[in-house]
Amino acid sequence: MKPAKLDVWTILYNQHGLISYDTCPPELFGVMRRMAAAGELGSVLPGIFAPTDRVDDPFIRMRAATLRDPDVVFTDLTAAHLLWQAPSPASISAIGRLSGDRPGYAFSTRFVDPQWVVGSRGFRCTHPALTAVDLIPREGGRYVDRFLRDARTEGATALRMMWQAFHAHPHRPGNVVRQQILSDSRDRPWSEAERLAHQQLREAGIEGWKTNYAAMASSGRLMFLDVAIPRLKIALEIDGYGSHSSPEAFHTDRIRQNDLMVDGWLVLRVTWSMLENRSWLHWLETAISARDWPWVPAHKAKRARDAR
């Protein structure tokens, strides 16, 4: 390998797979152009090159954008990729001084206040709360639920942060659906199935239930119940399609359920199909009646009060 070409590969190695006209000696410019013409280097952004087989690598594209604009902030699915190891985005979404149509990028001039910018994996991206809110029109409540799951017992704080992020960025397309999803998250669901269950519980007028309830079993195991009516020791476990994806998960779940039942909890399993036809509500109402709680649906109680 010729010395000049070796110098290019050395710079690529030292700069994590990138080389640009701004970061290499002028005497190597011709070498870079010849390597690009020979298919050894590919253009990531104007004046920034990477080995051809790495041009489409998301991290290479993010590094190139950061090299061009150190203040760049990654958003949307790119931010989700950085924050939560979400699947690699088809294109890199970013805001900053970069503009124009570039293959593999979606640039925006939208303003984001610095307080809603964080560092993740060596890059700047939108805060998790803002990222979850940004993605609602495209992804529904998926990343809202992820942010709430990460917060666990601090779910109220997490939800408040998402509302703050929402109000800090008004008058945006999609804000109507953003507001709807955040309103539906007031009981802090950890999945779309839980979100639907909470909606149906409210519509049915059932009261006294808590979400993500921390229950300490006599065995010493701390468990978070999807939905619980603590006074009656009724637990609802919301099983989405992805539940028990491994024998280990199935086994652990049965240990968890046995611990609850030994301690006097009645555990009702709710599947997505049951949510779709609302059949699970009949079992819940029957269980409430069987445990001798004088429960009356809120809407019926209101009608009785009005009649008096």
Side-chain angles (χ1 to χ4, degrees):
M1 184 180 294
K2 295 182 179 179
K5 195 171 182 180
L6 181 60
D7 290 341
V8 170
W9 287 112
T10 300
I11 293 172
L12 284 166
Y13 177 81
N14 292 333
Q15 295 185 354
H16 307 289
L18 289 173
I19 189 169
S20 73
Y21 290 131
D22 296 331
T23 60
C24 76
E27 58 267 23
L28 294 180
F29 289 0
V31 180
M32 290 167 56
R33 284 192 289 269
R34 288 193 293 274
M35 292 176 69
E40 295 177 85
L41 296 180
S43 176
V44 185
L45 284 171
I48 302 178
F49 300 88
T52 304
D53 61 351
R54 298 197 62 195
V55 166
D56 294 327
D57 185 309
F59 280 93
I60 287 292
R61 292 197 175 278
M62 286 187 280
R63 289 191 186 105
T66 303
L67 187 63
R68 178 65 70 217
D69 176 9
D71 295 324
V72 70
V73 177
F74 297 104
T75 63
D76 299 329
L77 289 174
T78 307
H81 181 61
L82 290 170
L83 294 165
W84 297 302
Q85 287 77 57
S88 298
S91 63
I92 302 301
S93 300
I95 57 176
R97 296 191 298 271
L98 299 166
S99 61
D101 294 329
R102 306 288 181 189
Y105 290 95
F107 294 127
S108 169
T109 56
R110 161 192 165 200
F111 174 76
V112 172
D113 190 285
Q115 71 171 326
W116 294 104
V117 176
V118 298
S120 181
R121 302 167 76 180
F123 298 98
R124 286 158 47 87
C125 67
T126 46
H127 187 283
L130 178 56
T131 302
V133 171
D134 282 348
L135 286 169
I136 287 174
R138 179 186 301 182
E139 300 289 328
R142 176 182 177 188
Y143 289 103
V144 170
D145 301 339
R146 175 61 188 265
F147 187 48
L148 291 171
R149 283 199 303 273
D150 288 349
R152 259 187 197 274
T153 56
E154 300 299 323
T157 301
L159 184 58
R160 185 164 56 250
M161 290 180 68
M162 286 188 285
W163 274 116
Q164 290 171 350
F166 172 80
H167 289 300
H169 302 87
H171 314 303
R172 289 199 292 161
N175 268 4
V176 171
V177 68
R178 289 187 180 98
Q179 186 173 20
Q180 179 183 350
I181 291 292
L182 290 177
S183 295
D184 284 343
S185 300
R186 58 187 177 274
D187 294 305
R188 302 188 291 282
W190 287 1
S191 70
E192 289 291 343
E194 289 184 31
R195 184 186 310 283
L196 182 56
H198 298 173
Q199 291 173 2
Q200 293 179 4
L201 283 166
R202 291 192 293 268
E203 291 167 0
I206 296 174
E207 299 174 346
W209 50 278
K210 298 181 181 295
T211 62
N212 308 316
Y213 181 76
M216 178 65 75
S218 57
S219 64
R221 182 188 298 269
L222 176 63
M223 295 169 286
F224 288 91
L225 309 181
D226 295 340
V227 178
I229 302 177
R231 181 181 174 184
L232 301 178
K233 300 191 92 171
I234 295 176
L236 301 175
E237 294 290 83
I238 315 298
D239 297 330
Y241 287 128
S243 298
H244 315 137
S245 56
S246 69
E248 292 78 13
F250 182 87
H251 178 70
T252 300
D253 185 75
R254 291 308 178 269
I255 293 175
R256 165 192 170 94
Q257 182 164 329
N258 288 345
D259 274 344
L260 288 168
M261 294 178 70
V262 165
D263 285 347
W265 284 86
L266 173 64
V267 181
L268 298 178
R269 311 304 296 239
V270 182
T271 67
W272 183 260
S273 295
M274 295 174 191
L275 288 167
E276 288 183 319
N277 61 27
R278 303 173 73 97
S279 61
W280 68 282
L281 288 169
H282 169 71
W283 292 317
L284 177 59
E285 292 171 1
T286 301
I288 290 172
S289 299
R291 294 210 160 199
D292 296 325
W293 187 34
W295 168 79
V296 178
H299 65 284
K300 292 184 179 179
K302 184 178 184 301
R303 283 203 297 267
R305 288 194 300 270
D306 292 343
R308 292 198 297 269

